[in-house]
Amino acid sequence: DTAVSQTPKYLVTQMGNDKSIKCEQNLGHDTMYWYKQDSKKFLKIMFSYNNKELIINETVPNRFSPKSPDKAHLNLHINSLELGDSAVYFCASSQEGTANTEAFFGQGTRLTVV
Amino acid sequence: GENVEQHPSTLSVQEGDSAVIKCTYSDSASNYFPWYKQELGKRPQLIIDIRSNVGEKKDQRIAVTLNKTAKHFSLHITETQPEDSAVYFCAAGDYKLSFGAGTTVTVRA
């Protein structure tokens, strides 16, 4: 069974559109994250939720809005997409904060804005 | 916040040789130092981690060393094999992780 699954795997959309990426984990973890990996492979944390509560919110445009309906799900909604939003977005989860335990990553969503 | 620097950015080694990747960090409060491996088109996966109360840890061909005084830690891969070719990320943190920029390792057969 897939531990952390995110959908869709690929997303191609036009500038200005609004899109969502969904993430679910079946590991029973308390903490979930969204990371952005740009074309240079740099992995940067965007958000972190612990038991549905936002605990980390990095400097990310407010066009990005995470939503956690329960601790097993963390979705990412992006409004008014821009060319610079093109990247691979990874969802991840861990039992506690990533400073203590292994983070398990989803397979990634490759977002291409045209 | 934490700033993690990783070197080199690319590393090419002959099969059977060793590979060493070095990272430095800035925040002395960081106490967890994992290493992730990301194969082409796949997700990052943890290969080894070390906590601040340990100076060295080994798992088969992979070892990590940590020098908290100097704020640097290193990944050592011995007897490299073609399947070791990937991007390797170091990370450091206390309540959240900051990742290094990654090292693309290529093992030449």
Side-chain angles (χ1 to χ4, degrees):
Chain A
D1 284 348
T2 303
V4 182
S5 60
Q6 54 184 107
T7 55
K9 190 172 180 181
Y10 301 97
L11 184 53
V12 181
T13 187
Q14 289 188 325
M15 279 193 331
N17 284 350
D18 303 339
K19 289 294 177 185
S20 293
I21 307 172
K22 295 185 177 182
C23 180
E24 176 182 7
Q25 54 97 1
N26 62 6
L27 296 166
H29 287 167
D30 290 333
T31 310
M32 295 185 72
Y33 315 83
W34 278 107
Y35 285 86
K36 179 180 179 180
Q37 187 171 45
D38 60 24
S39 58
K40 295 182 179 178
K41 301 295 184 186
F42 191 65
L43 261 176
K44 187 166 173 57
I45 191 167
M46 302 172 67
F47 302 102
S48 174
Y49 272 71
N50 182 273
N51 277 316
K52 303 192 297 175
E53 288 192 23
L54 181 66
I55 57 171
I56 296 174
N57 184 353
E58 293 296 289
T59 307
V60 175
N62 57 16
R63 298 181 294 103
F64 290 79
S65 53
K67 285 189 172 49
S68 183
D70 55 62
K71 75 172 193 177
H73 295 83
L74 180 61
N75 304 321
L76 183 65
H77 189 75
I78 315 170
N79 289 327
S80 303
L81 279 155
E82 300 177 357
L83 292 177
D85 297 332
S86 296
V88 180
Y89 292 83
F90 285 99
C91 175
S93 74
S94 66
Q95 181 57 47
E96 302 169 18
T98 50
N100 293 298
T101 56
E102 177 180 359
F104 290 82
F105 285 82
Q107 77 273 29
T109 295
R110 182 174 294 277
L111 171 65
T112 304
V113 183
V114 297
Chain B
E2 177 63 273
N3 181 40
V4 179
E5 294 195 358
Q6 181 172 348
H7 299 280
S9 57
T10 60
L11 180 59
S12 179
V13 296
Q14 189 69 37
E15 184 178 358
D17 288 351
S18 295
V20 179
I21 304 170
K22 297 183 178 182
C23 289
T24 61
Y25 62 99
S26 60
D27 189 349
S28 56
S30 290
N31 54 24
Y32 180 57
F33 308 91
W35 287 86
Y36 284 82
K37 175 183 179 182
Q38 185 178 25
E39 295 176 0
L40 188 62
K42 297 194 175 177
R43 71 192 78 193
Q45 290 188 291
L46 182 77
I47 54 171
I48 195 167
D49 58 11
I50 192 168
R51 287 175 173 79
S52 58
N53 58 344
V54 176
E56 185 173 354
K57 185 175 178 181
K58 190 173 180 181
D59 182 4
Q60 298 182 338
R61 296 186 296 109
I62 293 172
V64 59
T65 58
L66 170 64
N67 183 329
K68 282 220 76 179
T69 304
K71 297 200 193 74
H72 64 71
F73 55 116
S74 301
L75 178 72
H76 303 251
I77 307 173
T78 58
E79 300 172 25
T80 53
Q81 299 168 5
E83 54 264 37
D84 295 329
S85 296
V87 179
Y88 291 80
F89 294 94
C90 64
D94 52 354
Y95 72 97
K96 71 171 183 178
L97 280 181
S98 294
F99 282 81
T103 297
T104 301
V105 174
T106 304
V107 179
R108 306 187 307 272

